Amino acid sequence: MSEQIPPSFLPQAFLLKMRGLLGEEYEEFIKSYENTRLSGLRLNPLKVSGDQETMLAGRFGLKKVPWAREGYYYDNESRPGKHSFHEAGVYYIQEPSAMAAAELLDPQPGERVLDLCAAPGGKSTQIGGRLLGQGLLVANEIHPARAKILSQNVERMGIANAVVTNEDPETLARQFPCFFHKIVVDAPCSGEGMFRKDPEAAKQWSLENVAMCAARQEKILGYGARMLKPGGRLVYSTCTFSPEEDECRIEQFLEQNPDFSLETAEGYQELGRGRTEWTKSGRRDLENTFRIWPHRSQGEGHYIAILKKSGHGEELGVRKLQMPARVKDRCIIEAWEAFAEDTLTEEGIRFLGEDIKERLVIFGQQLYKLPEMMPDYKGLRVLRPGLHLGTLKKNRLEPSHGLALCLKKNHVKRWESRGGESRDIASYLRGGTLTAQEGDTKGWTLMLAEAYSIGWAKRVGETLKNHYPKGLRLQDIDKRQ
């Protein structure tokens, strides 16, 4: 059998390293670079249920990703990223292997969860879907431009109980000691597992960069550990093959943090296990960590470890959970009440919370609903302090795009639905004006692509004036591309 010729874009030092690590598996690993890469999407449980899942599976040729409850491979010819359902937050386009970390974190409704290195938002939106609007999600990204993209994805997926921050991990650790039930640390890494998906990334690779990433991961993981409450779970993940960033990183962390131990998870036979032979101590519990290999599974390279902090109880230390200052200006409260009375049904008011007036916060002219359990954020760079309700304009409220995307038609008094592939919905996404089909009352109208909310229109007579945000409109995206 002739030796497999590696792709020319792979660095020679990387190939030598992988040959030494994999031994007899090396040829099969190199051959995987010739295989067709499968694309994935993850359905949004805040939007999709029951028969809708069956409909979407048929429309986009979906097949289950074995390690993610809401994950599917899709038929590339169906182009779901170009469909109106994507803009409605019905699903999130995500590399299949990247779905495993949040799945193993297993967030539950009512918990406080942190995604420490969150952009562009795949894991955050997966967590937000699992929380089902209950509890608190803090999604953090240190780079401002990437944090903005993260915030946009949180909005698109209709997540109402998320706060998006733009901070360094050390600052967050001071702000949130022993606070979160669960944390995911998807650490910046050398990205070896993504070379098949992104050959350009291979040009940035070097052994020196691997060492630099490993040192940075040590600090980030340490800050994450400080924010986990006793009895909590932290999932560490990378998209690299390097033991220095994977098993060796967890080996060192456990040596330095005796109050942590490795957990395992049953029922994930499709995932490989950590390699104890690649560590200094050879500690056996590292077999409880997970690896996804492109030559063994239908996904790119990933490593995942589940860490449990000993102890139990709340032991909160976040300024004794001091709450931020709420809105007291009567004009602002009345503007919200007038909008709610005109636009929302009783079911919509219950959905947003009958105590919403106690949780209103104001950023400039922007009105937000703060999630439950979110303590004072003074001193933090906050991009999104919760659900964006709207903009105050001369004592009236113009509802936000984010509010539209978290509502359903039973939450509003006026709504209009168009086919997901119709000319009308394509025109709406480009900023076009539509003709009303339902009812005869003027006011804010929720637009839907079939069953899924996609934005606002303002009905005046028989005309639906478009309020889809500029910058998100397809013609604006086309210009940027």
Side-chain angles (χ1 to χ4, degrees):
M1 180 177 177
S2 60
E3 184 172 302
Q4 192 74 29
I5 299 176
S8 59
F9 63 82
L10 292 177
Q12 285 300 310
F14 170 73
L15 294 172
L16 287 171
K17 180 179 179 180
M18 295 308 297
R19 184 186 288 275
L21 290 172
L22 293 175
E24 294 180 357
E25 280 188 72
Y26 174 76
E27 292 296 322
E28 190 179 357
F29 169 74
I30 292 299
K31 188 176 181 180
S32 72
Y33 283 84
E34 298 179 355
N35 298 339
T36 301
R37 188 177 63 82
L38 296 179
S39 301
L41 63 78
R42 182 174 36 74
L43 297 183
N44 184 359
L46 298 173
K47 307 256 185 178
V48 179
S49 61
D51 293 341
Q52 294 174 337
E53 187 169 343
T54 303
M55 176 275 290
L56 292 165
R59 186 170 291 191
F60 298 113
L62 304 184
K63 297 181 180 179
K64 282 291 297 179
V65 172
W67 52 78
R69 191 186 311 170
E70 296 93 11
Y72 289 86
Y73 303 103
Y74 65 81
D75 179 357
N76 285 321
E77 294 182 1
S78 65
R79 303 180 72 192
K82 299 293 185 181
H83 200 279
S84 63
F85 290 173
H86 178 268
E87 307 311 311
V90 177
Y91 45 75
Y92 188 100
I93 305 293
Q94 188 176 20
E95 204 288 308
S97 294
M99 303 175 189
E103 180 76 29
L104 291 168
L105 185 70
D106 192 27
Q108 298 296 316
E111 292 181 329
R112 300 181 296 274
V113 185
L114 169 67
D115 186 352
L116 185 53
C117 313
K123 294 172 180 64
S124 287
T125 56
Q126 190 173 359
I127 292 165
R130 289 290 182 88
L131 292 178
L132 296 174
Q134 303 169 45
L136 171 67
L137 167 63
V138 176
N140 180 70
E141 173 57 43
I142 191 171
H143 299 288
R146 286 170 54 82
K148 184 177 179 181
I149 295 170
L150 166 65
S151 183
Q152 290 171 344
N153 280 324
V154 166
E155 176 178 271
R156 181 172 62 85
M157 301 302 281
I159 301 170
N161 58 326
V163 173
V164 178
T165 57
N166 171 215
E167 277 295 351
D168 61 89
E170 184 177 8
T171 298
L172 285 182
R174 289 196 300 267
Q175 188 85 0
F176 295 104
C178 297
F179 180 70
F180 294 100
H181 295 93
K182 289 174 181 172
I183 297 174
V184 62
V185 177
D186 185 39
C189 67
S190 58
E192 296 170 355
M194 294 292 107
F195 289 173
R196 187 171 72 156
K197 177 182 176 183
D198 182 15
E200 288 297 311
K203 296 179 180 179
Q204 309 300 321
W205 184 92
S206 67
L207 292 172
E208 292 76 17
N209 187 47
V210 169
M212 181 184 70
C213 288
R216 182 167 51 186
Q217 290 154 2
E218 179 183 5
K219 292 182 179 180
I220 294 173
L221 188 54
Y223 292 132
R226 294 186 198 176
M227 291 183 274
L228 192 67
K229 82 177 197 69
R233 174 183 294 170
L234 186 153
V235 166
Y236 171 84
S237 67
T238 72
C239 57
T240 193
F241 302 120
S242 289
E244 301 95 319
E245 304 174 66
D246 296 339
E247 288 92 347
C248 295
R249 170 56 45 239
I250 298 303
E251 175 188 41
Q252 183 183 36
F253 175 81
L254 292 172
E255 290 172 354
Q256 296 173 346
N257 297 271
D259 55 335
F260 278 82
S261 60
L262 279 168
E263 283 193 312
T264 189
E266 303 299 329
Y268 293 90
Q269 291 83 3
E270 301 84 1
L271 305 182
R273 295 288 177 160
R275 301 290 187 95
T276 60
E277 66 271 23
W278 294 346
T279 64
K280 296 178 181 178
S281 64
R283 54 184 298 163
R284 301 291 296 176
D285 57 352
L286 287 167
E287 293 179 353
N288 290 331
T289 63
F290 296 92
R291 278 188 174 271
I292 303 177
W293 294 98
H295 62 288
R296 291 185 170 188
S297 302
Q298 293 182 326
E300 306 308 304
H302 270 69
Y303 176 81
I304 307 161
I306 310 171
L307 295 159
K308 178 72 175 291
K309 193 173 189 178
S310 62
H312 56 84
E314 292 298 305
E315 298 190 26
L316 297 176
V318 188
R319 299 183 183 180
K320 298 181 179 179
L321 282 180
Q322 180 180 349
M323 296 295 108
R326 304 303 207 273
V327 169
K328 295 181 180 179
D329 188 323
R330 189 62 203 168
C331 291
I332 296 175
I333 295 173
E334 288 176 352
W336 166 254
E337 289 177 329
F339 167 80
E341 182 178 355
D342 179 68
T343 308
L344 302 178
T345 61
E346 290 185 7
E347 193 168 353
I349 291 171
R350 287 196 298 272
F351 171 75
L352 292 175
E354 295 181 351
D355 64 340
I356 189 170
K357 288 185 289 186
E358 304 301 318
R359 294 161 62 189
L360 296 177
V361 294
I362 191 82
F363 267 39
Q365 296 302 306
Q366 307 304 316
L367 187 65
Y368 289 83
K369 173 196 169 188
L370 191 76
E372 295 182 54
M373 299 187 290
M374 180 61 192
D376 191 3
Y377 45 71
K378 184 178 180 181
L380 293 179
R381 291 191 294 270
V382 177
L383 272 69
R384 178 174 294 270
L387 174 60
H388 187 199
L389 298 173
T391 303
L392 293 163
K393 295 186 175 181
K394 296 180 180 179
N395 293 329
R396 64 179 176 83
L397 184 80
E398 183 171 298
S400 75
H401 187 56
L403 178 60
L405 290 174
C406 80
L407 295 174
K408 298 179 180 178
K409 66 181 182 181
N410 58 308
H411 296 147
V412 295
K413 294 178 179 178
R414 290 173 295 275
W415 56 270
E416 293 260 353
S417 178
R418 301 292 191 273
E421 295 149 18
S422 66
R423 290 183 179 180
D424 271 3
I425 210 69
S427 175
Y428 176 77
L429 291 173
R430 284 180 166 79
T433 298
L434 302 181
T435 300
Q437 295 177 348
E438 303 290 340
D440 59 1
T441 57
K442 66 179 182 179
W444 290 106
T445 301
L446 187 66
M447 299 299 299
L448 298 101
E450 298 181 21
Y452 309 109
S453 59
I454 200 165
W456 292 109
K458 187 76 172 287
R459 177 165 179 163
V460 180
E462 298 302 312
T463 300
L464 291 167
K465 294 187 175 181
N466 197 305
H467 281 263
Y468 196 73
K470 294 179 180 179
L472 295 182
R473 295 176 181 179
L474 296 185
Q475 62 188 19
D476 296 322
I477 293 174
D478 293 341
K479 288 177 183 177
R480 291 200 301 269
Q481 293 175 341

